[in-house]
Every structure is written in structure tokens, then in C-alpha cells.
């Protein structure tokens, strides 16, 4: 029992935010942690495609480090994680039990719309040390790179996953001065119409794959073809002061 207790104390699980794309946008702490990892987990929601978080983190990782590309199916009901999640939990706990430092990569910030949040919930009472290292979110990087303030003065900002119901979005658009719209690829044409009606389309900037070599910038969202909008796209928008919607 004593030996088990010692092992339990030694393993460390660390969620690391790798930022949106540029490998220079990691914190010093993230870089130091990656360099000391025994195992690096690159999560995916499905089997195909390369892990973008892994490609961002790679320049900071040691060549001998164990890399586990694990599939974490999309969570629809946080209380009911699937067998794949339980299998992943066992894989992680085996490494922690062996006293290893396990790093879990997250695009942007770990506590901001990410798979990491569910992994954190799953492990937080496991007895192992858990630490989370923040990362630069895509919307912060877009704002700085493209000279678009996120909020000023007493502006009210809403951060909205564009996958929410249209009626809910309608209410948010009515009361917000500024918007950060995430996950905009689904229903893009309805979304852009809604933004226009509420006076946001004139001052909206959409950036896809911010910080990646293939970054795309759209300054007029009404001209964007919905089929060209990729998953890694974010819109920053400001309500036009002259719009009739502004006084609503
Ligand atoms: C599941 S959320 C992940 C958010 C991430 N944890 C963060 O802090 O930015 C995925 C959404 O983040 C945004 N996103 C992530 N990386 C991006 C990038 N490089 N460029 C533009 N948008 C990005 C997009 O809106 C995408 O639909």
C-alpha cells in the first residue's frame, strides 16, 4: 500500500495550451513543461487527420518523448462518457501510476471550449497532481495580429459558439456591443444574415487558421462563400454605432 501511495504522488498530469498556431505563442511555462514531459497526448475527436496541436508543440518537444494520439469522441452529454473515454482514462492512469509526467495538448487555451475540460473533470479526483497551463486563445491572437480591439470602455462582449439556436443568438446580438463568434462553419449563411440584420456585418473580421502558414483573412463576411468556411475560423465583430439595431 505504501508503494502505491508513493506512485500516486509522483505522476503528474498537465494540460498545456499551445495557442492557435504560431509555435512562438506558447508561454515559457508551456515550453518548459513540454521539454520535461515523459508522455505527450495529442487528442482528436475522430480518427482521421493530423493533430494540429501536436504540430504546434513539436518544435518544443524532446525527440525521445512518447506521443499518444488518442481519439476522444465528441461529448454530447458530459455525464455519459463513452467506452473510448474510459479506455483513454486507463491509458493515462497507467502512465501516472508509473510516476510519469503526462502532458495533454490543447489548441488555444485548455479551459476554453476544449476536450481537456472533460479529461480534467475525469481525473481531478484521481489523487494525482493536475496542473493546467493557459494558452493564447484564437480570438486574442486574431485581435492582436489584425489590430482589432476586443473590447473598449464599457463595451459588452459576448463569446458565442455559432452552433447555438438562432433564437438564442438573436437575443445575444440584441444586447451585445462586440462579439467573438466561434465554430462559425456550420450555418454560415444564416449566421452572416443574422449579423447583418443586427448591425455587426459592417465591422466583422473573419480569420481562418490564424497563425498557420495557410491563414486566411476575410474583411467582408457578406462576400464569403459558406462552402469556403473551415472549422478553424473565428469572427470578431463590433455593432455599428449608426445601425438602427445599435439603439435596440
Ligand atoms: C473547440 S474550439 C477550441 C478553442 C480553443 N481552445 C481556443 O482557446 O481558441 C474550436 C474553435 O476555436 C476557434 N479556433 C481555434 N483555432 C483557431 C485558429 N487558429 N484560427 C481561427 N479560429 C480558431 C474556431 O472558432 C474553432 O471553431
Amino acid at each position: 500500500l505504501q508503494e502505491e501511495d508513493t506512485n500516486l504522488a509522483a505522476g503528474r498530469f498537465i494540460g498545456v495550451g499551445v495557442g492557435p498556431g504560431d509555435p512562438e505563442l506558447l508561454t515559457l511555462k508551456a515550453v518548459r513543461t513540454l521539454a520535461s514531459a515523459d508522455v505527450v497526448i495529442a487528442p482528436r475527436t475522430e480518427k482521421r487527420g493530423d493533430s494540429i496541436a501536436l504540430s504546434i508543440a513539436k518544435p518544443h518537444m524532446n525527440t525521445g518523448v512518447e506521443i499518444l494520439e488518442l481519439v476522444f469522441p465528441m461529448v454530447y452529454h458530459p455525464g455519459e462518457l463513452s467506452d473510448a473515454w474510459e479506455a483513454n482514462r486507463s491509458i493515462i492512469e497507467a502512465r501516472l501510476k508509473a510516476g510519469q509526467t503526462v502532458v495533454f495538448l490543447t489548441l488555444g487555451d485548455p479551459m476554453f471550449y476544449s476536450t481537456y475540460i472533460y479529461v480534467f473533470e475525469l481525473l481531478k479526483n484521481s489523487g494525482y497532481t493536475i496542473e493546467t497551463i493557459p494558452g493564447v486563445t484564437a480570438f486574442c491572437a486574431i485581435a492582436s495580429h489584425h489590430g482589432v480591439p476586443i473590447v473598449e470602455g464599457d463595451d459588452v462582449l459576448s463569446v458565442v459558439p455559432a452552433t447555438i439556436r438562432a433564437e438564442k443568438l438573436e437575443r445575444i446580438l440584441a444586447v451585445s456591443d462586440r462579439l467573438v463568434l466561434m465554430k462559425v462553419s456550420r450555418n454560415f449563411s444564416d449566421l452572416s444574415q443574422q449579423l447583418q440584420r443586427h448591425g455587426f456585418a459592417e465591422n466583422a473580421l473573419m480569420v481562418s487558421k490564424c497563425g498557420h502558414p495557410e491563414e486566411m483573412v476575410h474583411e467582408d463576411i457578406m462576400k464569403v462563400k459558406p462552402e469556403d468556411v473551415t472549422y478553424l475560423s473565428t469572427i470578431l465583430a463590433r455593432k455599428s454605432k449608426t445601425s438602427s439595431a445599435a439603439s435596440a
Side-chain angles (χ1 to χ4, degrees):
L1 185 69
Q2 232 175 10
E3 194 183 322
E4 264 182 32
D5 282 350
T6 315
N7 283 341
L8 208 61
R12 291 192 311 148
F13 183 78
I14 310 178
V16 169
V18 301
D22 180 350
E24 297 211 324
L25 276 189
L26 275 80
T27 63
L28 293 176
K29 201 165 192 174
V31 168
R32 209 159 20 83
T33 303
L34 281 170
S36 69
D38 297 305
V39 183
V40 171
I41 296 176
R44 297 146 172 248
T45 48
E46 45 194 66
K47 281 185 183 133
R48 59 193 159 79
D50 293 330
S51 163
I52 297 173
L54 182 60
S55 64
I56 300 169
K58 261 228 167 103
H60 306 293
M61 287 160 47
N62 287 329
T63 41
V65 68
E66 182 185 12
I67 298 170
L68 293 176
E69 296 197 48
L70 300 181
V71 177
F72 290 81
M74 200 78 93
V75 175
Y76 296 103
H77 306 286
E80 304 165 20
L81 297 176
S82 65
D83 293 350
W85 276 76
E86 286 302 332
N88 288 340
R89 185 225 290 255
S90 304
I91 292 170
I92 295 169
E93 286 192 343
R95 303 298 192 288
L96 294 173
K97 200 170 178 193
Q100 295 191 315
T101 297
V102 180
V103 165
F104 189 99
L105 303 178
T106 303
L107 263 186
D109 182 80
M111 291 300 192
F112 193 72
Y113 296 121
S114 79
T115 302
Y116 174 74
I117 296 168
Y118 305 109
V119 181
F120 174 80
E121 292 293 335
L122 205 60
L123 294 175
K124 74 177 181 196
N125 297 322
S126 62
Y128 295 102
T129 302
I130 302 188
E131 201 184 325
T132 307
I133 298 175
V136 176
T137 63
F139 78 84
C140 288
I142 292 169
S144 294
H145 288 169
H146 298 282
V148 179
I150 301 169
V151 267
E152 296 163 72
D154 48 14
D155 278 349
V156 172
L157 170 73
S158 296
V159 178
V160 188
T163 43
I164 60 170
R165 284 179 295 108
E167 311 85 77
K168 187 172 180 182
L169 181 58
E170 197 69 23
R171 294 201 299 276
I172 294 167
L173 297 185
V175 298
S176 308
D177 303 303
R178 305 251 185 178
L179 298 172
V180 168
L181 289 150
M182 323 269 304
K183 308 179 188 178
V184 297
S185 53
R186 232 194 300 157
N187 297 330
F188 183 80
S189 79
D190 291 349
L191 175 68
S192 52
Q193 299 293 330
Q194 234 179 329
L195 291 176
Q196 192 175 42
R197 275 205 315 281
H198 283 271
F200 283 99
E202 261 173 58
N203 298 297
L205 177 79
M206 183 170 83
V207 178
S208 305
K209 294 205 150 189
C210 166
H212 296 255
E214 59 275 41
E215 175 175 309
M216 295 257 298
V217 181
H218 300 274
E219 289 180 351
D220 184 348
I221 58 158
M222 300 314 289
K223 289 195 180 141
V224 175
K225 291 197 197 114
E227 60 273 23
D228 292 343
V229 182
T230 54
Y231 176 68
L232 285 189
S233 300
T234 300
I235 296 176
L236 262 56
R238 172 166 59 84
K239 192 175 275 176
S240 167
K241 294 247 177 346
T242 55
S243 137
S244 56
S247 50

